[in-house]
Amino acid sequence: MFGTVAVPVWLLVLILGFAAVSFATHFLFPSVRWFFRRRAERALSRLNARLDRKIDLFKLAERSDMVARLAYDQRVVEAAMAHAAETGVPGEVAFEEARRYAREIVPGFSATVYFGFGTRAAKWLSRLLYRVRVGKVDQALRQIDPKASVIFVMNHRSNLDYVLVTWLVADRSAVSYAVGEWARVWPLSALIRSMGAYFIRRGSRNALYRKVLARYVQMATEEGTTQAMFPEGGLSLDGRVGPAKLGLISYIVEGWTPHARDVVFVPVGLAYDRVLEDRVLVEAAQSGTRRFRNRPVLVAWHGLRFLWARFRGRTKGFGTAAAGFGAPVSLRDHLAAGGTVEALGERLMAAIAAVVPVLPVPLVARALGDGAASREELGARVQEMVARLSEAGAVLKLPPVGGASVLDEGLEPLIRRGLVSVDLKPVPKERALLDFYAASVPAVEVSAPPQT
């Protein structure tokens, strides 16, 4: 009973290792997790105290729990069984496919990453590249029901839209974005997922996938998660605010009931003096395809050149980037008035277009038209356009010191980039790019210049 048992050293090490892991699992780790969870809860309480819209528990749930909750949702299970019957695959295979979609979609939000790194990085990058301005904030935004689910709906001008809006609403809430396939590249995907974004497959026709995605969007909306989406479904190729693709909006409408909390859409209009991807977008428009050419080496080279010039004081960035926030649209009120999903999409896109700020470079690009006989003529045309746009209620975000500064700030970048010659004639081979910027400004009637 008390005899000696000889064991190899490697076995002794293995036994001690298992004992250490067992001890840590049952005694040490729970205490450590409890300690850090208490600290995290206190930090989150302080964070929620300064946010207009609190971070909801749905966003803070363990990702594994959210994946299970979504995969075992009754409507997802029913969709998996219907998928199995339609395709002839075993039920467990269909269910595992649904679980795979759930794991792909569900984010893993981290308040530390979002507010400790994400919003600060977004602010630094936005200010590094642009002068950031807020063109308009509708006063009705102050009256939104605190219990309502808020969804920011925006025009999609640049991949920097995510960065700009994340910073601008950081003092109000943490925003959960719907992002496309471009963001599913490691390690970018892990960072984006920790920022609360959820991935979507644009254009997928798989009925089971669409049901899993729909249920996630509906569950997030039911729980009050603040979301952001681009109803156009992709970057604008011509500079205009396009029509809405109703996928995500229809999911929200289908999942809403009159007894649920209200859903409030906040229109956001975004504008840039310089869209960093402008040439890529124009090329895609000319080719008739949305397949963008990926040039990571070229992008890195231009990025390094810009940083070197920026820190040496050789450039001040790419002009102005601005956002306008329009009057909120209540889903409850819209449906109560007999509105349809299609009407809602049209209403939201019109509201977005109405608050897209007018900036100097796009304004001058629009005023140039087929050129101008002189700088004085172009200046007069710009001033008349400003007056007409102001009468029409457009959101103007222009230099406050007068028409001459508007002309200088808008014209100089166009000449420097070779889109316009020094004698104010559009360069023929760059005409598509000049039109890309001009199209973002509403068309207004301008009197013809006097004949000489």
Side-chain angles (χ1 to χ4, degrees), residues 403-436:
S405 62
V406 174
L407 181 58
D408 291 340
E409 194 170 303
L411 183 60
E412 192 275 333
L414 296 176
I415 295 176
R416 187 176 65 247
R417 295 189 65 194
L419 276 63
V420 178
S421 64
V422 292
D423 60 351
L424 306 183
K425 301 297 183 183
V427 177
K429 68 176 183 179
E430 300 288 7
R431 188 56 195 251
L433 193 55
L434 189 67
D435 291 343
F436 172 81

PDB file of all heavy atoms in Angstrom, residues 403-436:
ATOM      1  N   GLY A 403     -16.267  84.370 -51.749  1.00  0.00           N
ATOM      2  CA  GLY A 403     -16.251  83.616 -52.992  1.00  0.00           C
ATOM      3  C   GLY A 403     -14.867  83.353 -53.540  1.00  0.00           C
ATOM      4  O   GLY A 403     -14.608  82.300 -54.133  1.00  0.00           O
ATOM      5  N   ALA A 404     -13.931  84.291 -53.381  1.00  0.00           N
ATOM      6  CA  ALA A 404     -12.585  84.101 -53.915  1.00  0.00           C
ATOM      7  C   ALA A 404     -11.897  82.911 -53.274  1.00  0.00           C
ATOM      8  O   ALA A 404     -11.222  82.128 -53.953  1.00  0.00           O
ATOM      9  CB  ALA A 404     -11.757  85.373 -53.716  1.00  0.00           C
ATOM     10  N   SER A 405     -12.080  82.761 -51.973  1.00  0.00           N
ATOM     11  CA  SER A 405     -11.435  81.636 -51.280  1.00  0.00           C
ATOM     12  C   SER A 405     -12.091  80.313 -51.681  1.00  0.00           C
ATOM     13  O   SER A 405     -11.417  79.281 -51.754  1.00  0.00           O
ATOM     14  CB  SER A 405     -11.512  81.836 -49.768  1.00  0.00           C
ATOM     15  OG  SER A 405     -12.860  81.871 -49.327  1.00  0.00           O
ATOM     16  N   VAL A 406     -13.401  80.330 -51.951  1.00  0.00           N
ATOM     17  CA  VAL A 406     -14.074  79.118 -52.424  1.00  0.00           C
ATOM     18  C   VAL A 406     -13.485  78.705 -53.762  1.00  0.00           C
ATOM     19  O   VAL A 406     -13.182  77.525 -53.994  1.00  0.00           O
ATOM     20  CB  VAL A 406     -15.596  79.353 -52.554  1.00  0.00           C
ATOM     21  CG1 VAL A 406     -16.265  78.129 -53.195  1.00  0.00           C
ATOM     22  CG2 VAL A 406     -16.207  79.631 -51.193  1.00  0.00           C
ATOM     23  N   LEU A 407     -13.297  79.663 -54.646  1.00  0.00           N
ATOM     24  CA  LEU A 407     -12.736  79.366 -55.961  1.00  0.00           C
ATOM     25  C   LEU A 407     -11.309  78.849 -55.842  1.00  0.00           C
ATOM     26  O   LEU A 407     -10.940  77.857 -56.481  1.00  0.00           O
ATOM     27  CB  LEU A 407     -12.774  80.619 -56.833  1.00  0.00           C
ATOM     28  CG  LEU A 407     -12.237  80.473 -58.263  1.00  0.00           C
ATOM     29  CD1 LEU A 407     -13.000  79.395 -59.019  1.00  0.00           C
ATOM     30  CD2 LEU A 407     -12.309  81.803 -58.997  1.00  0.00           C
ATOM     31  N   ASP A 408     -10.507  79.495 -55.015  1.00  0.00           N
ATOM     32  CA  ASP A 408      -9.114  79.063 -54.848  1.00  0.00           C
ATOM     33  C   ASP A 408      -9.043  77.647 -54.287  1.00  0.00           C
ATOM     34  O   ASP A 408      -8.278  76.811 -54.764  1.00  0.00           O
ATOM     35  CB  ASP A 408      -8.368  80.028 -53.915  1.00  0.00           C
ATOM     36  CG  ASP A 408      -8.146  81.390 -54.548  1.00  0.00           C
ATOM     37  OD1 ASP A 408      -8.204  81.477 -55.785  1.00  0.00           O
ATOM     38  OD2 ASP A 408      -7.934  82.371 -53.799  1.00  0.00           O
ATOM     39  N   GLU A 409      -9.834  77.390 -53.255  1.00  0.00           N
ATOM     40  CA  GLU A 409      -9.784  76.091 -52.584  1.00  0.00           C
ATOM     41  C   GLU A 409     -10.329  74.973 -53.466  1.00  0.00           C
ATOM     42  O   GLU A 409      -9.898  73.818 -53.346  1.00  0.00           O
ATOM     43  CB  GLU A 409     -10.578  76.167 -51.275  1.00  0.00           C
ATOM     44  CG  GLU A 409     -10.332  75.020 -50.331  1.00  0.00           C
ATOM     45  CD  GLU A 409     -10.941  75.255 -48.952  1.00  0.00           C
ATOM     46  OE1 GLU A 409     -10.598  76.282 -48.313  1.00  0.00           O
ATOM     47  OE2 GLU A 409     -11.759  74.418 -48.522  1.00  0.00           O
ATOM     48  N   GLY A 410     -11.245  75.297 -54.355  1.00  0.00           N
ATOM     49  CA  GLY A 410     -11.809  74.276 -55.225  1.00  0.00           C
ATOM     50  C   GLY A 410     -11.044  74.075 -56.508  1.00  0.00           C
ATOM     51  O   GLY A 410     -10.970  72.950 -57.023  1.00  0.00           O
ATOM     52  N   LEU A 411     -10.462  75.137 -57.054  1.00  0.00           N
ATOM     53  CA  LEU A 411      -9.810  75.067 -58.355  1.00  0.00           C
ATOM     54  C   LEU A 411      -8.383  74.545 -58.280  1.00  0.00           C
ATOM     55  O   LEU A 411      -7.952  73.757 -59.131  1.00  0.00           O
ATOM     56  CB  LEU A 411      -9.833  76.445 -59.019  1.00  0.00           C
ATOM     57  CG  LEU A 411      -9.244  76.547 -60.426  1.00  0.00           C
ATOM     58  CD1 LEU A 411      -9.985  75.627 -61.390  1.00  0.00           C
ATOM     59  CD2 LEU A 411      -9.285  77.999 -60.913  1.00  0.00           C
ATOM     60  N   GLU A 412      -7.638  74.970 -57.264  1.00  0.00           N
ATOM     61  CA  GLU A 412      -6.219  74.611 -57.186  1.00  0.00           C
ATOM     62  C   GLU A 412      -5.971  73.106 -57.178  1.00  0.00           C
ATOM     63  O   GLU A 412      -5.102  72.611 -57.921  1.00  0.00           O
ATOM     64  CB  GLU A 412      -5.585  75.279 -55.956  1.00  0.00           C
ATOM     65  CG  GLU A 412      -4.074  75.229 -55.899  1.00  0.00           C
ATOM     66  CD  GLU A 412      -3.566  73.926 -55.281  1.00  0.00           C
ATOM     67  OE1 GLU A 412      -4.324  73.347 -54.475  1.00  0.00           O
ATOM     68  OE2 GLU A 412      -2.433  73.515 -55.607  1.00  0.00           O
ATOM     69  N   PRO A 413      -6.722  72.302 -56.405  1.00  0.00           N
ATOM     70  CA  PRO A 413      -6.494  70.848 -56.458  1.00  0.00           C
ATOM     71  C   PRO A 413      -6.793  70.246 -57.830  1.00  0.00           C
ATOM     72  O   PRO A 413      -6.129  69.293 -58.242  1.00  0.00           O
ATOM     73  CB  PRO A 413      -7.458  70.301 -55.391  1.00  0.00           C
ATOM     74  CG  PRO A 413      -7.718  71.453 -54.480  1.00  0.00           C
ATOM     75  CD  PRO A 413      -7.700  72.653 -55.363  1.00  0.00           C
ATOM     76  N   LEU A 414      -7.784  70.785 -58.541  1.00  0.00           N
ATOM     77  CA  LEU A 414      -8.121  70.260 -59.868  1.00  0.00           C
ATOM     78  C   LEU A 414      -7.002  70.532 -60.869  1.00  0.00           C
ATOM     79  O   LEU A 414      -6.680  69.681 -61.705  1.00  0.00           O
ATOM     80  CB  LEU A 414      -9.432  70.875 -60.359  1.00  0.00           C
ATOM     81  CG  LEU A 414     -10.686  70.547 -59.534  1.00  0.00           C
ATOM     82  CD1 LEU A 414     -11.895  71.301 -60.069  1.00  0.00           C
ATOM     83  CD2 LEU A 414     -10.959  69.047 -59.530  1.00  0.00           C
ATOM     84  N   ILE A 415      -6.406  71.711 -60.773  1.00  0.00           N
ATOM     85  CA  ILE A 415      -5.284  72.037 -61.661  1.00  0.00           C
ATOM     86  C   ILE A 415      -4.059  71.212 -61.286  1.00  0.00           C
ATOM     87  O   ILE A 415      -3.362  70.676 -62.157  1.00  0.00           O
ATOM     88  CB  ILE A 415      -4.968  73.552 -61.585  1.00  0.00           C
ATOM     89  CG1 ILE A 415      -6.143  74.355 -62.140  1.00  0.00           C
ATOM     90  CG2 ILE A 415      -3.685  73.869 -62.348  1.00  0.00           C
ATOM     91  CD1 ILE A 415      -5.967  75.855 -62.029  1.00  0.00           C
ATOM     92  N   ARG A 416      -3.795  71.081 -59.992  1.00  0.00           N
ATOM     93  CA  ARG A 416      -2.616  70.334 -59.541  1.00  0.00           C
ATOM     94  C   ARG A 416      -2.684  68.870 -59.971  1.00  0.00           C
ATOM     95  O   ARG A 416      -1.663  68.268 -60.305  1.00  0.00           O
ATOM     96  CB  ARG A 416      -2.501  70.433 -58.013  1.00  0.00           C
ATOM     97  CG  ARG A 416      -1.219  69.819 -57.466  1.00  0.00           C
ATOM     98  CD  ARG A 416      -1.086  70.015 -55.969  1.00  0.00           C
ATOM     99  NE  ARG A 416      -2.106  69.321 -55.220  1.00  0.00           N
ATOM    100  CZ  ARG A 416      -3.061  69.906 -54.516  1.00  0.00           C
ATOM    101  NH1 ARG A 416      -3.154  71.231 -54.475  1.00  0.00           N
ATOM    102  NH2 ARG A 416      -3.970  69.189 -53.865  1.00  0.00           N
ATOM    103  N   ARG A 417      -3.877  68.286 -59.971  1.00  0.00           N
ATOM    104  CA  ARG A 417      -4.026  66.890 -60.360  1.00  0.00           C
ATOM    105  C   ARG A 417      -4.120  66.707 -61.874  1.00  0.00           C
ATOM    106  O   ARG A 417      -4.150  65.568 -62.348  1.00  0.00           O
ATOM    107  CB  ARG A 417      -5.278  66.294 -59.714  1.00  0.00           C
ATOM    108  CG  ARG A 417      -5.230  66.202 -58.204  1.00  0.00           C
ATOM    109  CD  ARG A 417      -6.406  65.396 -57.682  1.00  0.00           C
ATOM    110  NE  ARG A 417      -6.348  64.010 -58.107  1.00  0.00           N
ATOM    111  CZ  ARG A 417      -7.367  63.155 -58.022  1.00  0.00           C
ATOM    112  NH1 ARG A 417      -8.534  63.575 -57.565  1.00  0.00           N
ATOM    113  NH2 ARG A 417      -7.231  61.906 -58.431  1.00  0.00           N
ATOM    114  N   GLY A 418      -4.168  67.800 -62.617  1.00  0.00           N
ATOM    115  CA  GLY A 418      -4.226  67.689 -64.066  1.00  0.00           C
ATOM    116  C   GLY A 418      -5.611  67.433 -64.608  1.00  0.00           C
ATOM    117  O   GLY A 418      -5.750  67.019 -65.772  1.00  0.00           O
ATOM    118  N   LEU A 419      -6.654  67.681 -63.844  1.00  0.00           N
ATOM    119  CA  LEU A 419      -8.020  67.501 -64.340  1.00  0.00           C
ATOM    120  C   LEU A 419      -8.474  68.719 -65.133  1.00  0.00           C
ATOM    121  O   LEU A 419      -9.356  68.626 -65.980  1.00  0.00           O
ATOM    122  CB  LEU A 419      -8.993  67.263 -63.174  1.00  0.00           C
ATOM    123  CG  LEU A 419      -9.130  65.821 -62.643  1.00  0.00           C
ATOM    124  CD1 LEU A 419      -7.823  65.315 -62.060  1.00  0.00           C
ATOM    125  CD2 LEU A 419     -10.224  65.747 -61.584  1.00  0.00           C
ATOM    126  N   VAL A 420      -7.865  69.879 -64.811  1.00  0.00           N
ATOM    127  CA  VAL A 420      -8.188  71.138 -65.479  1.00  0.00           C
ATOM    128  C   VAL A 420      -6.874  71.815 -65.849  1.00  0.00           C
ATOM    129  O   VAL A 420      -5.919  71.800 -65.062  1.00  0.00           O
ATOM    130  CB  VAL A 420      -9.026  72.055 -64.550  1.00  0.00           C
ATOM    131  CG1 VAL A 420      -9.326  73.386 -65.236  1.00  0.00           C
ATOM    132  CG2 VAL A 420     -10.317  71.370 -64.132  1.00  0.00           C
ATOM    133  N   SER A 421      -6.817  72.409 -67.029  1.00  0.00           N
ATOM    134  CA  SER A 421      -5.611  73.123 -67.447  1.00  0.00           C
ATOM    135  C   SER A 421      -5.556  74.491 -66.796  1.00  0.00           C
ATOM    136  O   SER A 421      -6.551  74.969 -66.229  1.00  0.00           O
ATOM    137  CB  SER A 421      -5.589  73.263 -68.976  1.00  0.00           C
ATOM    138  OG  SER A 421      -6.676  74.067 -69.407  1.00  0.00           O
ATOM    139  N   VAL A 422      -4.410  75.147 -66.892  1.00  0.00           N
ATOM    140  CA  VAL A 422      -4.245  76.456 -66.263  1.00  0.00           C
ATOM    141  C   VAL A 422      -5.141  77.499 -66.918  1.00  0.00           C
ATOM    142  O   VAL A 422      -5.428  78.542 -66.307  1.00  0.00           O
ATOM    143  CB  VAL A 422      -2.771  76.907 -66.313  1.00  0.00           C
ATOM    144  CG1 VAL A 422      -1.918  76.026 -65.428  1.00  0.00           C
ATOM    145  CG2 VAL A 422      -2.249  76.890 -67.751  1.00  0.00           C
ATOM    146  N   ASP A 423      -5.597  77.260 -68.166  1.00  0.00           N
ATOM    147  CA  ASP A 423      -6.519  78.190 -68.815  1.00  0.00           C
ATOM    148  C   ASP A 423      -7.979  77.780 -68.612  1.00  0.00           C
ATOM    149  O   ASP A 423      -8.873  78.170 -69.355  1.00  0.00           O
ATOM    150  CB  ASP A 423      -6.204  78.317 -70.305  1.00  0.00           C
ATOM    151  CG  ASP A 423      -6.306  76.980 -71.030  1.00  0.00           C
ATOM    152  OD1 ASP A 423      -6.446  75.946 -70.342  1.00  0.00           O
ATOM    153  OD2 ASP A 423      -6.242  76.964 -72.277  1.00  0.00           O
ATOM    154  N   LEU A 424      -8.194  76.937 -67.564  1.00  0.00           N
ATOM    155  CA  LEU A 424      -9.535  76.571 -67.075  1.00  0.00           C
ATOM    156  C   LEU A 424     -10.312  75.688 -68.045  1.00  0.00           C
ATOM    157  O   LEU A 424     -11.553  75.694 -68.044  1.00  0.00           O
ATOM    158  CB  LEU A 424     -10.359  77.836 -66.756  1.00  0.00           C
ATOM    159  CG  LEU A 424      -9.705  78.845 -65.792  1.00  0.00           C
ATOM    160  CD1 LEU A 424     -10.650  79.996 -65.514  1.00  0.00           C
ATOM    161  CD2 LEU A 424      -9.270  78.180 -64.506  1.00  0.00           C
ATOM    162  N   LYS A 425      -9.610  74.904 -68.851  1.00  0.00           N
ATOM    163  CA  LYS A 425     -10.267  73.962 -69.745  1.00  0.00           C
ATOM    164  C   LYS A 425     -10.162  72.557 -69.162  1.00  0.00           C
ATOM    165  O   LYS A 425      -9.074  72.126 -68.771  1.00  0.00           O
ATOM    166  CB  LYS A 425      -9.619  73.987 -71.133  1.00  0.00           C
ATOM    167  CG  LYS A 425      -9.658  75.356 -71.813  1.00  0.00           C
ATOM    168  CD  LYS A 425     -11.084  75.803 -72.072  1.00  0.00           C
ATOM    169  CE  LYS A 425     -11.079  77.146 -72.817  1.00  0.00           C
ATOM    170  NZ  LYS A 425     -12.470  77.661 -73.017  1.00  0.00           N
ATOM    171  N   PRO A 426     -11.284  71.814 -69.080  1.00  0.00           N
ATOM    172  CA  PRO A 426     -11.205  70.417 -68.621  1.00  0.00           C
ATOM    173  C   PRO A 426     -10.297  69.603 -69.545  1.00  0.00           C
ATOM    174  O   PRO A 426     -10.391  69.707 -70.768  1.00  0.00           O
ATOM    175  CB  PRO A 426     -12.655  69.932 -68.701  1.00  0.00           C
ATOM    176  CG  PRO A 426     -13.478  71.179 -68.612  1.00  0.00           C
ATOM    177  CD  PRO A 426     -12.673  72.232 -69.322  1.00  0.00           C
ATOM    178  N   VAL A 427      -9.411  68.808 -68.956  1.00  0.00           N
ATOM    179  CA  VAL A 427      -8.524  67.946 -69.731  1.00  0.00           C
ATOM    180  C   VAL A 427      -9.344  66.771 -70.256  1.00  0.00           C
ATOM    181  O   VAL A 427      -9.960  66.045 -69.452  1.00  0.00           O
ATOM    182  CB  VAL A 427      -7.348  67.465 -68.859  1.00  0.00           C
ATOM    183  CG1 VAL A 427      -6.458  66.497 -69.635  1.00  0.00           C
ATOM    184  CG2 VAL A 427      -6.526  68.664 -68.370  1.00  0.00           C
ATOM    185  N   PRO A 428      -9.396  66.564 -71.570  1.00  0.00           N
ATOM    186  CA  PRO A 428     -10.304  65.544 -72.139  1.00  0.00           C
ATOM    187  C   PRO A 428     -10.150  64.163 -71.526  1.00  0.00           C
ATOM    188  O   PRO A 428     -11.153  63.503 -71.217  1.00  0.00           O
ATOM    189  CB  PRO A 428      -9.927  65.550 -73.631  1.00  0.00           C
ATOM    190  CG  PRO A 428      -9.419  66.927 -73.883  1.00  0.00           C
ATOM    191  CD  PRO A 428      -8.695  67.334 -72.622  1.00  0.00           C
ATOM    192  N   LYS A 429      -8.922  63.682 -71.348  1.00  0.00           N
ATOM    193  CA  LYS A 429      -8.741  62.329 -70.835  1.00  0.00           C
ATOM    194  C   LYS A 429      -9.138  62.194 -69.369  1.00  0.00           C
ATOM    195  O   LYS A 429      -9.298  61.092 -68.864  1.00  0.00           O
ATOM    196  CB  LYS A 429      -7.305  61.868 -71.029  1.00  0.00           C
ATOM    197  CG  LYS A 429      -6.283  62.611 -70.171  1.00  0.00           C
ATOM    198  CD  LYS A 429      -4.899  62.022 -70.361  1.00  0.00           C
ATOM    199  CE  LYS A 429      -3.876  62.701 -69.460  1.00  0.00           C
ATOM    200  NZ  LYS A 429      -2.523  62.121 -69.611  1.00  0.00           N
ATOM    201  N   GLU A 430      -9.287  63.333 -68.662  1.00  0.00           N
ATOM    202  CA  GLU A 430      -9.689  63.316 -67.251  1.00  0.00           C
ATOM    203  C   GLU A 430     -11.131  63.758 -67.064  1.00  0.00           C
ATOM    204  O   GLU A 430     -11.567  63.997 -65.943  1.00  0.00           O
ATOM    205  CB  GLU A 430      -8.766  64.229 -66.428  1.00  0.00           C
ATOM    206  CG  GLU A 430      -7.299  63.839 -66.456  1.00  0.00           C
ATOM    207  CD  GLU A 430      -7.016  62.582 -65.653  1.00  0.00           C
ATOM    208  OE1 GLU A 430      -7.984  61.930 -65.186  1.00  0.00           O
ATOM    209  OE2 GLU A 430      -5.832  62.245 -65.470  1.00  0.00           O
ATOM    210  N   ARG A 431     -11.864  63.882 -68.166  1.00  0.00           N
ATOM    211  CA  ARG A 431     -13.222  64.415 -68.073  1.00  0.00           C
ATOM    212  C   ARG A 431     -14.125  63.546 -67.193  1.00  0.00           C
ATOM    213  O   ARG A 431     -14.962  64.050 -66.435  1.00  0.00           O
ATOM    214  CB  ARG A 431     -13.829  64.539 -69.469  1.00  0.00           C
ATOM    215  CG  ARG A 431     -15.178  65.282 -69.478  1.00  0.00           C
ATOM    216  CD  ARG A 431     -15.020  66.650 -68.844  1.00  0.00           C
ATOM    217  NE  ARG A 431     -16.256  67.267 -68.514  1.00  0.00           N
ATOM    218  CZ  ARG A 431     -16.751  68.318 -69.178  1.00  0.00           C
ATOM    219  NH1 ARG A 431     -16.090  68.812 -70.215  1.00  0.00           N
ATOM    220  NH2 ARG A 431     -17.866  68.863 -68.797  1.00  0.00           N
ATOM    221  N   ALA A 432     -13.962  62.233 -67.280  1.00  0.00           N
ATOM    222  CA  ALA A 432     -14.814  61.337 -66.472  1.00  0.00           C
ATOM    223  C   ALA A 432     -14.583  61.563 -64.984  1.00  0.00           C
ATOM    224  O   ALA A 432     -15.532  61.520 -64.190  1.00  0.00           O
ATOM    225  CB  ALA A 432     -14.531  59.888 -66.842  1.00  0.00           C
ATOM    226  N   LEU A 433     -13.336  61.824 -64.595  1.00  0.00           N
ATOM    227  CA  LEU A 433     -13.043  62.055 -63.187  1.00  0.00           C
ATOM    228  C   LEU A 433     -13.598  63.399 -62.732  1.00  0.00           C
ATOM    229  O   LEU A 433     -14.113  63.528 -61.607  1.00  0.00           O
ATOM    230  CB  LEU A 433     -11.527  61.999 -62.967  1.00  0.00           C
ATOM    231  CG  LEU A 433     -11.036  61.907 -61.522  1.00  0.00           C
ATOM    232  CD1 LEU A 433     -11.665  60.724 -60.807  1.00  0.00           C
ATOM    233  CD2 LEU A 433      -9.512  61.796 -61.494  1.00  0.00           C
ATOM    234  N   LEU A 434     -13.510  64.411 -63.583  1.00  0.00           N
ATOM    235  CA  LEU A 434     -14.086  65.713 -63.248  1.00  0.00           C
ATOM    236  C   LEU A 434     -15.602  65.592 -63.090  1.00  0.00           C
ATOM    237  O   LEU A 434     -16.190  66.160 -62.149  1.00  0.00           O
ATOM    238  CB  LEU A 434     -13.751  66.722 -64.350  1.00  0.00           C
ATOM    239  CG  LEU A 434     -14.090  68.181 -64.062  1.00  0.00           C
ATOM    240  CD1 LEU A 434     -13.211  68.724 -62.938  1.00  0.00           C
ATOM    241  CD2 LEU A 434     -13.925  69.026 -65.313  1.00  0.00           C
ATOM    242  N   ASP A 435     -16.256  64.839 -63.979  1.00  0.00           N
ATOM    243  CA  ASP A 435     -17.708  64.633 -63.879  1.00  0.00           C
ATOM    244  C   ASP A 435     -18.083  63.856 -62.617  1.00  0.00           C
ATOM    245  O   ASP A 435     -19.170  64.052 -62.071  1.00  0.00           O
ATOM    246  CB  ASP A 435     -18.217  63.888 -65.115  1.00  0.00           C
ATOM    247  CG  ASP A 435     -18.135  64.737 -66.377  1.00  0.00           C
ATOM    248  OD1 ASP A 435     -18.008  65.962 -66.246  1.00  0.00           O
ATOM    249  OD2 ASP A 435     -18.176  64.150 -67.479  1.00  0.00           O
ATOM    250  N   PHE A 436     -17.193  62.973 -62.187  1.00  0.00           N
ATOM    251  CA  PHE A 436     -17.428  62.197 -60.968  1.00  0.00           C
ATOM    252  C   PHE A 436     -17.633  63.133 -59.770  1.00  0.00           C
ATOM    253  O   PHE A 436     -18.531  62.922 -58.949  1.00  0.00           O
ATOM    254  CB  PHE A 436     -16.237  61.265 -60.730  1.00  0.00           C
ATOM    255  CG  PHE A 436     -16.239  60.535 -59.422  1.00  0.00           C
ATOM    256  CD1 PHE A 436     -16.995  59.387 -59.237  1.00  0.00           C
ATOM    257  CD2 PHE A 436     -15.472  60.997 -58.348  1.00  0.00           C
ATOM    258  CE1 PHE A 436     -16.985  58.700 -58.031  1.00  0.00           C
ATOM    259  CE2 PHE A 436     -15.455  60.322 -57.141  1.00  0.00           C
ATOM    260  CZ  PHE A 436     -16.214  59.172 -56.981  1.00  0.00           C
TER     261      PHE A 436
END
